[in-house]
Amino acid sequence: MATNATKPSVYLQDMEEVKKVFARFDANGDGMISGDELSGVLKALGSDTSPDEVERMMAEIDTDRDGCINLQEFADFCKSDDSVDGGAKELKEAFDLYDQDHNGLISAAELHQILNRLGQNCTVQDCTRMITSVDADGDGNVSFEEFKQMMCNNCKK
């Protein structure tokens, strides 16, 4: 599998971030993400993804067709720019998982709720600090534009 060093990173900024997210999905720590593990994370994020949709996602990401997603496949997926919109649809879907009340903003309370569902032990104050670090307009929330800027290391300000 050839790699392209100039390919933009749409979702995660570096391999360390990719590894951290991969480890969250890899619940049993075996170095592979199974369909059940993927489904479990999606459910924790509040998504009611059907088994057929999980299967489709697995087929899209599992390029070696071994039935599981390894770290390299996950990294390739995170850095994918194959879609016509450059991954904007997937980025919006990710944003929407955090935007629990669908008001177009991620609050510290929403971030806290999602992170705790994912097993991250943090306080609302921790989440407030995280939000403050990317809150460009100072409204105390993360808008989609701020989320996109945070997730895309090649976006222009």
Side-chain angles (χ1 to χ4, degrees), residues 98-109:
Y98 285 90
D99 181 16
Q100 296 286 289
D101 63 7
H102 306 292
N103 69 348
L105 300 169
I106 300 170
S107 68

Side-chain angles (χ1 to χ4, degrees), residues 12-145:
L12 302 172
Q13 294 187 10
D14 62 33
M15 195 58 182
E16 288 308 308
E17 289 182 42
V18 171
K19 287 177 184 176
K20 287 177 187 175
V21 173
F22 182 85
R24 289 254 177 248
F25 280 74
D26 181 17
N28 65 3
D30 67 354
M32 305 293 269
I33 298 170
S34 68
D36 288 342
E37 287 170 322
L38 178 60
S39 181
V41 169
L42 293 171
K43 282 184 179 135
L45 289 171
S47 173
D48 58 352
T49 307
S50 73
D52 288 342
E53 182 68 7
V54 171
E55 190 174 312
R56 187 195 64 75
M57 293 167 74
M58 288 294 294
E60 180 180 335
I61 302 168
D62 178 22
T63 57
D64 67 8
R65 305 290 177 242
D66 67 354
C68 292
I69 301 167
N70 63 38
L71 179 59
Q72 187 58 55
E73 290 168 330
F74 187 75
D76 290 345
F77 174 75
C78 290
K79 294 178 192 280
S80 173
D81 67 347
D82 296 335
S83 66
V84 173
D85 65 2
K89 178 183 173 201
E90 289 83 1
L91 197 58
K92 180 67 171 122
E93 288 172 357
F95 177 84
D96 290 344
L97 289 174
Y98 285 90
D99 181 16
Q100 296 286 289
D101 63 7
H102 306 292
N103 69 348
L105 300 169
I106 300 170
S107 68
E110 288 169 317
L111 181 60
H112 179 254
Q113 180 182 18
I114 293 297
L115 292 178
N116 281 308
R117 281 186 192 163
L118 291 171
Q120 182 84 342
N121 191 10
C122 61
T123 66
V124 174
Q125 291 77 18
D126 294 332
C127 293
T128 299
R129 282 190 290 276
M130 287 181 229
I131 295 234
T132 300
S133 72
V134 296
D135 180 16
D137 64 9
D139 68 354
N141 297 292
V142 175
S143 67
F144 180 63
E145 287 304 311

